[in-house]
Amino acid sequence: MGTYLLPKSSIHLWLSKLLSRYAVFVPIEVEKQIHWHLLEPKDLETEPDSITPAQRRIRASEPVKSFMFEPRQQVASFPDALTFKQPGPRVLLGIKSCDLAALKVHDKILGEGEFKDPFYLAQRKNTLLVVADCPEPEQSCFCNLLGLTPYAAEGGDAALSVVDGNWLLDVNESGKELVDAAPELFTDLREGSSELARRDEQRHAALVSLNLTNARPWNPDLAGAVAAKLDDPAFWNKHAETCVECFGCLMGCPTCYCFLLYDQAKGAGVERTRTWDACYEAAYARVGGGANPRAEFIKRFANRFSCKFSAFKTDHGMYACTGCGRCFKACMGKIDIRKVLGEL
Amino acid sequence: MSNPYQPIPATILETHDETPNIRTFKLKPEREIPFLAGQFVELTVPGYGEAPFTPSSSHFKRDTFDMTIMKVGRATSALFDLKPGDRVGARGPFGQRYPLEKFEGKDIYIVGGGVGLAPLRALFLALVHEIGKYQRIFLRYGARTPADIVYKHLLPEWQKIPKVDIDLSVDVSDEKWMKKVGVVTCLMDEIPCDEKSSIAVVCGPPIMMKFVNQKLLDAGFQGGDIYLSMETNMSCGVGQCRHCRLGPYLTCKDGPVLTWDQIKDLENPFV
Ligand code: SF4
Ligand code: SF4
């Protein structure tokens, strides 16, 4: 739709306008880690730079799926059917390019096809996504190896860059309402403007830094390479050696979408809950009769890779990994997925 | 938008004990569940959870449907405590049906083991409903003992249907047993149909399926004509939760019936 400049002095004004229409979530820094925070009016009484999210270096610790595919959610009841509550409108101001890619994975599974998840779709449709550039990718970021850029190349409702403290917003048609909340605060940016040139420089620098950190390209056919390794237990044993089966890598992963349905008696009826699940769990694939096709951990370990890099690629044309680095940041065994993939 | 996780109430109309631990439940759902033979339904035992079962009655009559269920775990044990008039939950149908159009004009060789005859009954009844469309129907069924045979009261009736040929075996016989003794493959030494152009359909415990499948291949059946009911941990039913993954397949979506050609390259399809 257009590219706009929001001067530093207007940022809080705009956010306060947004607050009157949406629940606005921003990433904030707590003890050097980045977490999502529900913006409150009092947050805007501070200096513009203290709460506004654009300057956050990288993605939040929490995977963005938490907003659409809740960690624990009631999805049905019995005998009376669950009545569906429409959620209110939200803005996620400052997701990253890797987060956006992760949502595409969930879109494929929960939002497309014959059976759609009404809970996911309601939250997804009610949420505007503003994708902020990553000015300083960290050592754990490897989105470049998965074909992503540290800024929104496409998709989302708007892209946000910070140039000299001012905000640049590249707004798609779907994000028009964000600007419409206070159009007087925005000025059009023309192609060739110095601000846009500065933004492009910053973006380029971020890419260069990522390419330095992750210089060695992977096997161009990861899907085939993972599939070919499945009957080589020595390979997986070597990499799984320090795994303590805590499932941290799976719970934090923004693309993992496995879930468990369980029922609990509630009064005279039943409540059905959905929770995130982990394919490393020993009983994950066990059938009612007791047989378990992945009883050995090593099979479950390899299964995670074949699911993300082989099956998902074959079925949906993309890897179910975005290079966000959450899995090995969480890993107490210090298993680095880059190392595993690098040896394929 | 409809909620795929929401079951509808279904009333237990009657029950029939097939064996000491296998029971058939006749269910009347609040709304018809439009299943076709081969597809499955997720059954909710209120308070105890859900489990997948394939209806065992004909899809030509769906205001009620039968489920023949073995008592194996927590949910099925709780189900066996329920009485006619009690309500369970049901959602579905899920998965793929048998491609009956590919069966037309052919001999159909059905092999079942134990409670595995339950889903095959839905197929069998669909076939005999339109028996003119098919050549002959062979049913080979093995159970552990004569007492473990399901549909004892129905088998003699089925045998009377023209073009139907039934043979039974038990692993361990009793003094009244007049038929073969041995695992079900002992009924397969002579296969009275043209293997190259016939359809085989198998359902039973994994180990039985493994040996039956091998025997069918040795006899000359084509891998694409052998239909196997794969047992995996199907939970959501809609291809999302990922528990039932079998190589490149999600059995709840692509199965539960897959052909041997589809699964032959998997490391160990019969676990
Ligand atoms: S992985 Fe890439 S997109 Fe994600 S936070 Fe790091 S630099 Fe940004
Ligand atoms: S596998 Fe690791 S790097 Fe890839 S998306 Fe999941 S948490 Fe991020």
Side-chain angles (χ1 to χ4, degrees):
Chain A
M1 178 199 141
T3 305
Y4 305 93
L5 180 80
L6 179 70
K8 189 172 176 176
S9 54
S10 301
I11 292 171
H12 276 190
L13 215 51
W14 183 51
L15 293 178
S16 67
K17 296 274 189 192
L18 291 184
L19 273 185
S20 64
R21 300 184 178 199
Y22 311 94
V24 180
F25 291 85
V26 295
I28 58 163
E29 196 164 313
V30 183
E31 296 292 336
K32 297 207 173 68
Q33 285 194 337
I34 297 162
H35 294 287
W36 286 100
H37 170 78
L38 176 61
L39 198 65
E40 295 171 42
K42 72 170 167 33
D43 296 327
L44 300 177
E45 291 157 15
T46 55
E47 283 297 298
D49 272 357
S50 62
I51 190 74
T52 52
Q55 66 274 41
R56 307 290 168 233
R57 300 175 312 277
I58 63 160
R59 84 286 178 298
S61 298
E62 300 86 15
V64 76
K65 68 182 179 187
S66 328
F67 285 99
M68 328 276 174
F69 171 64
E70 295 176 14
R72 182 180 301 262
Q73 174 165 36
Q74 192 189 343
V75 292
S77 58
F78 186 84
D80 299 322
L82 181 71
T83 44
F84 188 71
K85 288 185 219 72
Q86 193 65 32
R90 304 182 297 190
V91 180
L92 297 187
L93 215 174
I95 72 164
K96 298 297 190 181
S97 158
C98 56
D99 292 329
L100 187 64
L103 282 177
K104 283 196 191 134
V105 170
H106 283 80
D107 286 348
K108 296 263 183 232
I109 298 298
L110 300 171
E112 294 173 10
E114 186 186 353
F115 298 101
K116 295 176 186 61
D117 180 325
F119 307 96
Y120 175 79
L121 278 178
Q123 295 284 27
R124 184 80 167 86
K125 290 193 177 133
N126 268 23
T127 307
L128 288 166
L129 301 172
V130 180
V131 190
D133 291 3
C134 304
E136 296 164 55
E138 291 193 354
Q139 289 295 314
S140 57
C141 294
F142 61 104
C143 52
N144 63 322
L145 291 181
L146 289 150
L148 302 175
T149 51
Y151 49 85
E154 55 169 28
D157 301 300
L160 168 66
S161 318
V162 191
V163 172
D164 303 326
N166 303 315
W167 285 14
L168 264 60
L169 279 146
D170 229 334
V171 184
N172 293 331
E173 205 47 48
S174 58
K176 186 170 173 290
E177 58 189 88
L178 291 167
V179 174
D180 288 348
E184 67 285 358
L185 302 177
F186 293 87
T187 48
D188 276 318
L189 272 179
R190 270 190 313 275
E191 229 172 285
S193 71
S194 62
E195 287 88 351
L196 284 178
R198 285 272 294 120
R199 178 194 72 178
D200 292 347
E201 271 167 34
Q202 282 174 203
R203 286 180 166 184
H204 183 69
L207 248 182
V208 168
S209 128
L210 272 170
N211 287 338
L212 276 176
T213 312
N214 311 293
R216 201 161 71 85
W218 286 336
N219 188 323
D221 176 23
L222 275 185
V226 170
K229 271 277 185 256
L230 286 180
D231 45 16
D232 178 3
F235 177 81
W236 303 108
N237 265 318
K238 181 178 102 183
H239 289 289
E241 213 169 36
T242 53
C243 177
V244 296
E245 299 179 47
C246 72
F247 317 147
C249 55
L250 306 168
M251 291 293 124
C253 176
T255 66
C256 279
Y257 55 81
C258 288
F259 61 80
L260 180 79
L261 293 171
Y262 69 87
D263 288 3
Q264 279 175 311
K266 179 96 188 273
V270 176
E271 252 183 23
R272 174 161 299 160
T273 304
R274 176 174 68 188
T275 60
W276 293 354
D277 202 0
C279 60
Y280 280 3
E281 169 66 52
Y284 179 86
R286 192 178 65 197
V287 299
N292 189 348
R294 292 195 288 279
E296 303 91 5
F297 175 67
I298 200 69
K299 287 202 175 140
R300 303 197 293 278
F301 186 81
N303 173 69
R304 167 169 167 243
F305 287 83
S306 94
C307 180
K308 285 185 177 301
F309 297 96
S310 189
F312 209 86
K313 178 80 172 168
T314 312
D315 292 352
H316 301 291
M318 62 188 285
Y319 296 123
C321 172
T322 66
C324 75
R326 288 182 180 92
C327 51
F328 53 84
K329 281 213 140 179
C331 183
M332 36 187 138
K334 303 227 178 311
I335 300 170
D336 188 334
I337 191 169
R338 290 175 297 191
K339 191 152 176 283
V340 184
L341 297 171
E343 287 181 22
L344 284 167
Chain B
M1 187 184 299
S2 69
N3 176 354
Y5 319 117
Q6 177 64 52
I8 56 168
T11 307
I12 301 175
L13 292 184
E14 54 190 69
T15 65
H16 176 82
D17 283 340
E18 306 287 350
T19 78
N21 65 345
I22 300 175
R23 184 175 293 170
T24 297
F25 298 83
K26 184 175 284 303
L27 301 172
K28 180 160 182 58
E30 224 166 53
R31 285 191 306 279
E32 182 180 303
I33 294 184
F35 72 92
L36 293 166
Q39 290 186 299
F40 72 98
V41 168
E42 286 283 353
L43 196 69
T44 300
V45 186
Y48 292 88
E50 259 192 329
F53 299 101
T54 302
S56 49
S57 50
S58 168
H59 63 221
F60 288 101
K61 183 189 171 304
R62 294 190 294 215
D63 56 326
T64 68
F65 62 94
D66 294 351
M67 295 265 202
T68 298
I69 293 172
M70 183 157 75
K71 192 172 172 176
V72 282
R74 207 171 88 94
T76 46
S77 296
L79 178 65
F80 273 58
D81 291 337
L82 298 181
K83 300 274 166 310
D86 288 341
R87 281 196 302 182
V88 292
R91 58 187 184 99
F94 300 127
Q96 304 299 318
R97 62 180 178 85
Y98 287 104
L100 295 183
E101 63 284 0
K102 291 191 190 161
F103 295 12
E104 286 178 18
K106 296 185 178 168
D107 281 342
I108 297 149
Y109 191 79
I110 303 173
V111 190
V115 74
L117 189 55
L120 295 174
R121 178 179 170 232
L123 171 70
F124 179 83
L125 295 175
L127 293 174
V128 300
H129 187 88
E130 298 179 309
I131 190 86
K133 286 188 178 176
Y134 312 98
Q135 285 285 329
R136 295 165 298 172
I137 299 168
F138 299 91
L139 175 61
R140 301 292 177 257
Y141 176 55
R144 210 164 49 82
T145 73
D148 291 310
I149 291 177
V150 299
Y151 310 135
K152 291 184 219 27
H153 58 304
L154 298 172
L155 286 163
E157 296 302 309
W158 293 354
Q159 181 65 80
K160 287 184 207 149
I161 303 170
K163 304 210 286 185
V164 170
D165 178 305
I166 298 179
D167 205 356
L168 311 177
S169 75
V170 293
D171 303 354
V172 183
S173 66
D174 60 16
E175 59 284 358
K176 284 188 278 172
W177 184 251
M178 304 292 287
K179 293 181 184 284
K180 280 238 170 84
V181 177
V183 292
V184 70
T185 43
C186 76
L187 301 173
M188 300 172 65
D189 290 333
E190 272 164 51
I191 297 179
C193 47
D194 175 11
E195 297 86 353
K196 293 220 163 30
S197 63
S198 301
I199 299 289
V201 187
V202 190
C203 184
I207 186 77
M208 165 266 180
M209 294 223 293
K210 180 174 175 164
F211 286 108
V212 168
N213 180 60
Q214 193 54 52
K215 197 121 184 173
L216 291 166
L217 290 171
D218 292 347
F221 275 85
Q222 307 294 309
D225 291 334
I226 304 176
Y227 293 83
L228 303 152
S229 292
M230 301 309 293
E231 192 193 14
T232 61
N233 184 7
M234 299 188 295
S235 169
C236 74
V238 293
Q240 296 171 348
C241 82
R242 208 89 189 159
H243 283 257
C244 68
R245 176 165 179 235
L246 181 73
Y249 306 106
L250 292 173
T251 47
C252 77
K253 201 164 122 240
D254 306 313
V257 176
L258 295 168
T259 66
W260 172 244
D261 272 356
Q262 284 177 291
I263 60 169
K264 64 171 186 257
D265 294 327
L266 301 183
E267 190 193 335
N268 183 9
F270 303 112
V271 181

